[in-house]
Amino acid sequence: MAAFSDYLESGVLEHTLRGTTLPTPSSIYVALFTSDPTDADTGNEVADSAYVRQDAAKGEGITSGWTAPTDSGDGKVSSNAKVIQFPPVADGDVTVTHYALYDSQSGGNMLYHGEFTVSKTLEINDVLSVDIGGIQVILR
């Protein structure tokens, strides 16, 4: 399950209670972390020369990257609609524990973050893939 970032929490409150505009991202990028990114976006994103955040829609429209929200026992849920594959690790072992969703391939605003069910230690040439439905955003 994913949590809101501070940026998104503020944006939703400003939008729904104060009438300000909440920008719609053109793409959602999945980032990998070796520690909890926290709501404040203070975690350690993977640092590898081959690493790059991945566009969940793979260059198509933003809606193709995520399922339409459906009812869940926990509220409303949307999950990744495509396999998300990162390039092979180039520099050395890295243990991935968390993910975050951003509105930009580098920098940008973190929207959601969460912990993978199982952490994964990747060695040189290993590829991390997230199966369809592997990342779920649940709103209660």
Side-chain angles (χ1 to χ4, degrees), residues 1 32-33 94-99 114-122 128-130 134:
M1 186 178 86
L32 302 177
F33 281 78
V94 60
T95 300
V96 175
T97 59
H98 292 75
Y99 63 89
E115 184 174 9
F116 283 114
T117 307
V118 177
S119 62
K120 177 73 175 165
T121 299
L122 304 169
L128 185 127
S129 292
V130 180

Side-chain angles (χ1 to χ4, degrees), residues 12-41:
V12 167
L13 290 172
E14 288 285 340
H15 178 69
T16 59
L17 300 177
R18 297 175 44 89
T20 62
T21 301
L22 182 60
T24 301
S26 58
S27 296
I28 300 294
Y29 294 90
V30 180
L32 302 177
F33 281 78
T34 60
S35 65
D36 185 354
T38 75
D39 290 358
D41 194 6

Side-chain angles (χ1 to χ4, degrees), residues 79-97:
S79 59
N80 60 301
K82 298 181 179 192
V83 172
I84 300 167
Q85 185 170 310
F86 290 83
V89 172
D91 301 333
D93 293 2
V94 60
T95 300
V96 175
T97 59

Side-chain angles (χ1 to χ4, degrees), residues 38-55:
T38 75
D39 290 358
D41 194 6
T42 58
N44 296 313
E45 192 168 355
V46 167
D48 184 86
S49 61
Y51 169 78
V52 63
R53 294 177 187 169
Q54 296 298 302
D55 178 0

Side-chain angles (χ1 to χ4, degrees), residues 46-140:
V46 167
D48 184 86
S49 61
Y51 169 78
V52 63
R53 294 177 187 169
Q54 296 298 302
D55 178 0
K58 299 186 177 192
E60 296 178 16
I62 188 172
T63 58
S64 72
W66 300 92
T67 61
T70 58
D71 290 330
S72 161
D74 292 327
K76 296 285 186 181
V77 62
S78 180
S79 59
N80 60 301
K82 298 181 179 192
V83 172
I84 300 167
Q85 185 170 310
F86 290 83
V89 172
D91 301 333
D93 293 2
V94 60
T95 300
V96 175
T97 59
H98 292 75
Y99 63 89
L101 306 180
Y102 284 84
D103 61 5
S104 180
Q105 192 167 38
S106 63
N109 300 297
M110 182 174 69
L111 305 172
Y112 304 96
H113 64 93
E115 184 174 9
F116 283 114
T117 307
V118 177
S119 62
K120 177 73 175 165
T121 299
L122 304 169
E123 299 173 349
I124 292 178
N125 294 322
D126 282 352
V127 172
L128 185 127
S129 292
V130 180
D131 290 336
I132 292 171
I135 295 176
Q136 294 185 334
V137 177
I138 301 171
L139 299 184
R140 297 182 177 152

